[in-house]
Amino acid sequence: MTDDPGAGARGPVSRRRALALGAGGAVLLAAGGAGLLPDVPDARTGAAGSEPGRTAGAARAAGPFEPARAAAVLARRAAAVRSGDRAAFLATVADAPAEFRAAEARRFDNLRRLPLGGWREELADPRPAADADADEVVVRVRTRYRFRGFDDGDAARVRHLAFAPRSGAWAVTGDGSGHGFFDDGAIWDAGPLTAVRGRACLVVGDTTGLDDLASLLDAAVPAVTAVVGTGWARRAVLLAPADPGLAGDLADSRTDVASFAALAAVTPGPGEGPGRDRVVVSPATFGRLNDLGRRVVLTHELTHVATGGARDGTTPLWLIEGFADYVGYRGTGVDVRAAAAELRREVAAGRPPARLPAADAFAGGARRLSQAYQEAWLACRMIAERYGEATLVRFYRAAGRTPLTTALRDALGLTPARFTALWRDHLEKELT
């Protein structure tokens, strides 16, 4: 046992967030990237990429597959998206099965509904994923895009396209799913999209209530800025797919997607640089929150965006989540005992926590997940009440640059043991 408030193995930023504000919760998870994968044998034939009824001779008739051939097709597709030429875009998949053509038509229509400031598809690697004599080649494609007025750099998603010889050339004939390859989720894979632009936000989805989400997010931006200052973009992109599975894909969430209401995520960039921040909402779960819960959840997630919590690998997890809850609850007038009901029952029963929660206490399956969030929130609330909000912000920023012991000493003049003792006293005062 240790008195160190930052003790515990460093894990990912919290994957599930339960609120005592109505059903549901929120998740915070940094999205991951992707690289080039090799081809795998086709289960239909046992051969890499073979299509029944076709032979390697057809590939030779079209000439050996070369990356430049695929790149030229991808360039035509990107130009068609940018110009709005639906016929030209669909011409690139004219030799694909009807189901794939229909899916590509839906994607094109959705892309044209978005405020794209850039769009292109490029080979993620110049090498084909199959032998040059194979009839079908699966290549990995990196889609680069940005939302005009919101992204200051490209975001990237990865998908797989199958190319096969048709009429003396190589044409797109499908995706890579038949070969064991699966794509990153993208909002344009949803149903018919609507894009709502608020004063400081862009909300994109295929569900109802997008105007309300934009209003909530517009209100959250100044609420967050009032605490953290103006040193962030002060704008946000929110994605609201009706399908909870797609919501999980957009967040790269590996937990039960039906359990989260909203989350902050980072869509990877095209290289080693920073990705683009997003807030992802799972509408079915978010819809079960009451009005206060919706406000707190979106303000909480936007705090992660504003402070880099979706990217942070240094600040203790209890401080990341407790600070976001402090901002989320600030000004709501919420009753502390009601909002921390689970922790209050433990304290009233004579079982107060001995130390601040470690990183694994915020894991999706953690037994005391609600209590971990409540403990973290009340720790930050105690700092603000005892030392002032500006000191809380200063402490939060210091903890991202220096060891926690140093941050406690420099910002609060406390040792870890003394901080823990003050926090435990605060719990007793607030919850009994």
Side-chain angles (χ1 to χ4, degrees):
M1 184 178 297
T2 176
D3 290 327
D4 183 357
R10 178 66 188 178
V13 179
S14 70
R15 297 169 185 266
R16 188 178 300 156
R17 161 94 164 87
L19 283 174
L21 300 168
V27 178
L28 177 62
L29 182 63
L36 185 72
L37 292 177
D39 197 12
V40 296
D42 191 319
R44 298 170 297 179
T45 64
S50 298
E51 179 184 349
R54 298 190 67 84
T55 67
R60 286 191 290 271
F65 180 83
E66 298 174 356
R69 294 173 178 266
V73 175
L74 297 178
R76 291 199 299 272
R77 288 166 54 85
V81 169
R82 293 192 298 267
S83 67
D85 191 337
R86 194 173 193 267
F89 182 85
L90 294 180
T92 67
V93 295
D95 292 304
E99 183 178 2
F100 181 78
R101 295 199 309 271
E104 287 295 279
R106 289 192 297 271
R107 289 188 181 98
F108 178 89
D109 292 341
N110 275 341
L111 289 168
R112 292 299 300 171
R113 296 182 179 110
L114 300 175
L116 294 175
W119 173 272
R120 58 176 164 162
E121 292 178 316
E122 59 188 19
L123 295 184
D125 191 280
R127 296 169 297 174
D131 183 82
D133 287 335
D135 183 46
E136 189 169 66
V137 172
V138 177
V139 299
R140 176 162 281 197
V141 177
R142 181 183 294 111
T143 300
R144 298 179 56 157
Y145 72 97
R146 65 179 67 189
F147 291 132
R148 186 174 58 252
F150 292 90
D151 292 334
D152 56 5
D154 285 350
R157 307 302 285 179
V158 171
R159 69 177 306 197
H160 300 83
L161 291 177
F163 284 78
R166 296 290 188 269
S167 304
W170 288 82
V172 177
T173 53
D175 59 22
S177 59
H179 301 268
F181 299 116
F182 298 94
D183 303 338
D184 292 343
I187 191 61
W188 45 84
D189 295 331
L193 291 177
T194 299
V196 175
R197 183 158 187 163
R199 295 189 309 274
C201 68
L202 174 68
V203 176
V204 179
D206 61 336
T207 187
T208 58
L210 300 184
D211 289 324
D212 291 339
L213 285 169
S215 295
L216 285 168
L217 207 55
D218 277 344
V221 169
V224 172
T225 301
V227 179
V228 306
T230 59
W232 65 292
R234 287 173 285 165
R235 59 181 184 270
V237 174
L238 185 148
L239 308 177
D243 177 11
L246 179 55
D249 289 343
L250 292 173
D252 195 31
S253 175
R254 296 177 178 86
T255 60
D256 177 12
V257 295
S259 69
F260 75 72
L263 55 89
V266 179
T267 297
E272 297 299 321
R276 308 275 77 80
D277 290 303
R278 303 285 187 254
V279 176
V280 181
V281 163
S282 186
T285 308
F286 189 83
R288 295 199 293 271
L289 290 170
N290 62 29
D291 290 342
L292 177 60
R294 296 175 189 182
R295 173 183 167 185
V296 171
V297 163
L298 285 187
T299 307
H300 175 111
E301 300 306 330
L302 194 60
T303 302
H304 289 315
V305 172
T307 61
R311 312 165 187 269
D312 198 293
T314 304
T315 310
L317 197 47
W318 69 261
L319 183 53
I320 290 176
E321 296 297 351
F323 184 76
D325 260 358
Y326 170 80
V327 180
Y329 281 116
R330 180 179 181 269
T332 64
V334 65
D335 181 76
V336 174
R337 295 185 178 189
E342 293 87 351
L343 181 58
R344 178 174 179 260
R345 284 193 288 270
E346 292 183 351
V347 172
R351 293 182 282 110
R355 56 189 175 274
L356 280 146
D360 57 7
F362 297 92
R367 182 178 60 86
R368 297 181 65 257
L369 183 64
S370 294
Q371 291 92 323
Y373 275 93
Q374 293 157 14
E375 291 163 5
W377 168 48
L378 290 175
C380 290
R381 193 169 183 270
M382 178 198 75
I383 295 170
E385 289 182 356
R386 188 180 183 94
Y387 300 94
E389 186 174 271
T391 299
L392 171 62
V393 174
R394 185 165 62 253
F395 170 59
Y396 183 91
R397 290 172 175 161
R401 301 188 304 266
T402 64
L404 184 63
T405 299
T406 304
L408 282 169
R409 183 195 67 208
D410 293 348
L412 306 180
L414 299 174
T415 65
R418 180 57 179 159
F419 179 78
T420 300
L422 289 173
W423 165 71
R424 295 185 73 214
D425 288 345
H426 184 76
L427 297 184
E428 293 280 354
K429 173 186 173 184
E430 292 288 334
L431 301 179
T432 58

